[in-house]
DNA sequence: TATTGTTATACTCTATAACTATA
DNA sequence: TATAGTTATAGAGTATAACAATA
């Protein structure tokens, strides 16, 4: 892609970069320059993250599953019996918030909390049979969403991105 | 302070990823597998975005500037005279929310709203003299934050990331 | 009628604190 | 005492709707 290379530290007056090729450039879309914002990883990542979440929500709208719900079900599905603390820590969700997430998933009969016998303070989390079935469908839709990402940034770029960010999972 | 990783015995065997090379893999950090979550761009991007915002906030804590405030000041600084609508659209912020952001920045004497003569509904946004001075300092700190990103993912990976995500700015 | 800035409301998410029942 | 789950509250952030002034 020809997108202008990351300019580092450009305290330059700025602004209108002409798109001589007629292709819409980020900075040219409205003639408003971002100046130093271009070249900030956080800004690009934030905008991308918003796009990707919106596409996820859109793609899984028919099953009414949000990214966080998906991540919770996926982890439980892959590690049945985990406690709420373990899931919360693994996904970086506050345990207080996980309570509500699980309440909702349990109401929908996708997940169940089973009282642990070894430590009666804790719950062992499992998918219900219906949860297993549903998760299979969710994963199919999530894969479709991943294909949207590929279409957006390119197959190789997506792979590279995952490689670069592997340490954050 | 981070209560050491959940070292409790994991109730169930579970999905361990091959770590034949002995290198610590994300999935092995706590023995909890993410299964399909690994390979989801959205998850990795989200976790990275959280990290990067936290580092930004930490690095600019001394000047009490959040990422959104920084982006607003940067755009105004690079394009003095913009209306609130223009800034909101450019940054993907709700115009209702921008009102509060500007209220706060104006209270701190960093930004000023000037009534437009051509269209008396709108305001032309400018940095104050103090705002200009401050922004210079903010940019210095933001550059320091970018270096943290480099240290975290590597210089070339950061460049590559910016290149891949250039279309989202 | 439509748009700019504003106010207000609701819902999500994050961050805490405190409570209970266990350990 | 400490921990797992829960409840509650406050703060950001997001999404809307509606209103006044102006176009």
């Amino acid at each position: 892609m020809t997108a202008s290379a990351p300019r580092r530290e450009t305290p330059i007056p700025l602004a209108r970069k002409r798109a001589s090729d007629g292709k819409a450039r980020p900075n040219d879309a409205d003639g408003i320059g971002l100046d130093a914002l271009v070249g900030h990883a956080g800004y690009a990542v934030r905008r991308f993250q918003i796009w990707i979440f919106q596409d996820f929500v859109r793609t899984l709208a028919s099953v009414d599953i949000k990214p966080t719900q998906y991540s919770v079900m996926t982890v439980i599905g892959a590690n049945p019996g985990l406690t709420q603390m373990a899931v919360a820590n693994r996904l970086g969700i506050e345990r207080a918030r996980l309570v509500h997430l699980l309440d909702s998933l349990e109401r929908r009969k996708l997940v169940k909390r089973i009282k642990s016998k070894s430590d009666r303070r804790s719950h062992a989390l499992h998918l219900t049979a219906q949860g297993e079935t549903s998760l299979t469908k969710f994963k199919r839709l999530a894969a479709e969403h991943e294909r949207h990402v590929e279409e957006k940034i390119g197959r190789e770029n997506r792979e590279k991105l995952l490689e670069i960010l592997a340490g954050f999972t």
Side-chain angles (χ1 to χ4, degrees), chain A:
Chain A
M1 265 201 326
T2 13
S4 44
R7 254 173 306 299
R8 325 227 313 120
E9 315 212 0
T10 1
I12 299 173
L14 120 110
R16 285 141 216 271
K17 287 189 290 286
R18 270 295 133 217
S20 48
D21 57 2
K23 253 179 57 180
R25 298 288 184 79
N27 276 13
D28 284 293
D30 46 17
I32 300 174
L34 288 166
D35 189 56
L37 235 40
V38 170
H40 277 45
Y43 184 71
V45 168
R46 174 65 176 151
R47 297 296 296 237
F48 180 52
Q49 191 254 309
I50 290 171
W51 180 88
I52 209 168
F53 265 49
Q54 284 174 344
D55 185 84
F56 186 100
V57 170
R58 220 180 298 130
T59 308
L60 278 82
S62 62
V63 293
D64 190 27
I65 286 290
K66 303 287 170 46
T68 311
Q69 297 174 307
Y70 179 79
S71 69
V72 168
M73 286 191 65
T74 299
V75 166
I76 295 175
N79 311 275
L82 285 185
T83 63
Q84 296 184 194
M85 279 302 287
V87 171
N89 287 334
R90 187 62 188 85
L91 294 175
I93 301 170
E94 283 297 318
R95 74 191 204 272
R97 176 159 147 61
L98 183 60
V99 170
H100 300 298
L101 286 166
L102 289 173
D103 285 350
S104 157
L105 293 174
E106 208 169 27
R107 252 182 272 116
R108 291 170 65 179
K109 303 268 186 271
L110 297 173
V111 162
K112 56 177 180 270
R113 288 185 251 222
I114 297 176
K115 298 223 169 208
S116 165
K117 292 199 171 176
S118 51
D119 182 343
R120 282 158 51 202
R121 291 172 303 182
S122 69
H123 296 150
L125 300 172
H126 295 269
L127 298 183
T128 62
Q130 186 192 323
E132 298 275 8
T133 309
S134 297
L135 183 55
T136 303
K137 183 176 185 182
F138 302 163
K139 285 184 177 176
R140 214 158 43 229
L141 290 166
E144 192 183 320
H145 155 70
E146 281 314 305
R147 285 193 294 276
H148 298 166
V149 176
E150 279 190 353
E151 284 163 25
K152 189 74 177 179
I153 66 177
R155 200 173 73 77
E156 304 210 338
N157 281 341
R158 179 180 163 281
E159 301 266 318
K160 184 67 182 171
L161 197 72
L162 284 171
E163 184 195 318
I164 294 173
L165 302 183
F168 290 90
T169 55

